[in-house]
Amino acid sequence: AQSVTQLDSQVPVFEEAPVELRCNYSSSVSVYLFWYVQYPNQGLQLLLKYLSGSTLVKGINGFEAEFNKSQTSFHLRKPSVHISDTAEYFCAVSSDSGAGSYQLTFGKGTKLSVIP
Amino acid sequence: DARVTQTPRHKVTEMGQEVTMRCQPILGHNTVFWYRQTMMQGLELLAYFRNRAPLDDSGMPKDRFSAEMPDATLATLKIQPSEPRDSAVYFCASGLAIAGGRNEQFFGPGTRLTVL
C-alpha cells in the first residue's frame, strides 16, 4: 500500500516570495511521483513528475521539486510566486503494479494563497 | 488540443433521483478513472477501467453507484438513487498505460453535483 502526506493544508505567502510545499510518501516499492495543480473550478493539471534519473525535476510555471529517497519526500518549490499561482496543489504517487495498470494515490492537497 | 470532456458541468437534483455523468476520454487513451472530490475527504478514487474493462471499483458504493464504458469514447458514472451525501465534484481522468505507473493522468473539468 502507498500513501501521501501533505503536511500543510494552507500556505499563505507574499507575492514574489519563495514557497515550499511539502510532500512525504510511503510505499514498499519503487514509486513515481507527481505534483498536480487545481485552479478554482477546474480539473487537475500536471505540474511536474519524477519517474527516474535526476532527482531535481523542473515543471511548468517555474516550479521544481526534488525527490529525496532517504527522506521519502518530494517537496515542491518556486523561488518567486505570482498572484496567478494561487491554487490548490496535490502531490500524488503511483507504482507499477506489474499488471500494466496503475493508480494515483493523492495527498489531501495544499491551498496556496499568494498575498499581494 | 486533446482534452477530457465531461457532461454535465453542473447538476442539481433531488434526493432519490437518478444521476448520470458522462466522460469522453482523450482519443487513444486506454485507461479511464472516476474520482470524487469533497472538502472532507479530498480526492477519492471511485473506479477505473483499462481497455474498457473495470479493474477496480472498490472505492464505489456498490448499492447505488455504477460505472461503465459502453465504448472507447464514452465512460459513464450513474448514481441511483442519489442522496445528499453524494454532493461533490466528480472528475474523470484518462491516461495511456504503457509502462505501468510512469504515465500521467489527464483530468476533465469535473461535474459539480448537488443533491437536495
Side-chain angles (χ1 to χ4, degrees), chain A residues 5 83 89:
Chain A
T5 302
I83 295 290
Y89 293 78

Side-chain angles (χ1 to χ4, degrees), chain B residues 46-86:
Chain B
L46 297 176
Y48 74 100
F49 297 76
R50 186 170 182 237
N51 296 326
R52 295 177 55 201
L55 287 187
D56 187 353
D57 61 1
S58 59
M60 212 162 61
K62 301 290 192 308
D63 56 338
R64 298 183 300 108
F65 284 61
S66 62
E68 295 179 346
M69 279 201 75
D71 61 61
T73 64
L74 177 64
T76 63
L77 180 66
K78 190 174 296 185
I79 308 174
Q80 167 62 19
S82 58
E83 297 180 1
R85 59 179 167 153
D86 301 329

Side-chain angles (χ1 to χ4, degrees), chain A residues 32-106:
Chain A
Y32 310 113
L33 294 156
F34 304 80
W35 275 99
Y36 281 82
V37 61
Q38 184 180 28
Y39 298 105
N41 300 314
Q42 294 186 29
L44 280 70
Q45 64 183 83
L46 185 71
L47 265 182
L48 49 80
K49 58 185 175 184
Y50 171 79
L51 303 180
S52 64
S54 173
T55 57
L56 184 62
V57 180
K58 293 189 185 298
I60 62 171
N61 300 339
F63 283 92
E64 64 181 31
E66 186 157 19
F67 171 58
N68 188 320
K69 189 174 181 179
S70 62
Q71 297 190 6
T72 61
S73 68
F74 190 55
H75 300 332
L76 181 70
R77 301 185 183 100
K78 186 170 183 178
S80 175
V81 296
H82 299 139
I83 295 290
S84 59
D85 293 323
T86 295
E88 189 159 18
Y89 293 78
F90 293 90
C91 182
V93 62
S94 76
S95 61
D96 188 347
S97 69
S101 61
Y102 65 102
Q103 299 181 42
L104 283 176
T105 300
F106 284 89

Side-chain angles (χ1 to χ4, degrees), chain A residues 8-39:
Chain A
D8 306 301
S9 59
Q10 298 189 44
V11 173
V13 63
F14 286 104
E15 192 174 14
E16 297 184 8
V19 69
E20 178 180 83
L21 305 183
R22 297 180 292 170
C23 171
N24 288 88
Y25 69 92
S26 67
S27 175
S28 57
V29 297
S30 296
V31 296
Y32 310 113
L33 294 156
F34 304 80
W35 275 99
Y36 281 82
V37 61
Q38 184 180 28
Y39 298 105

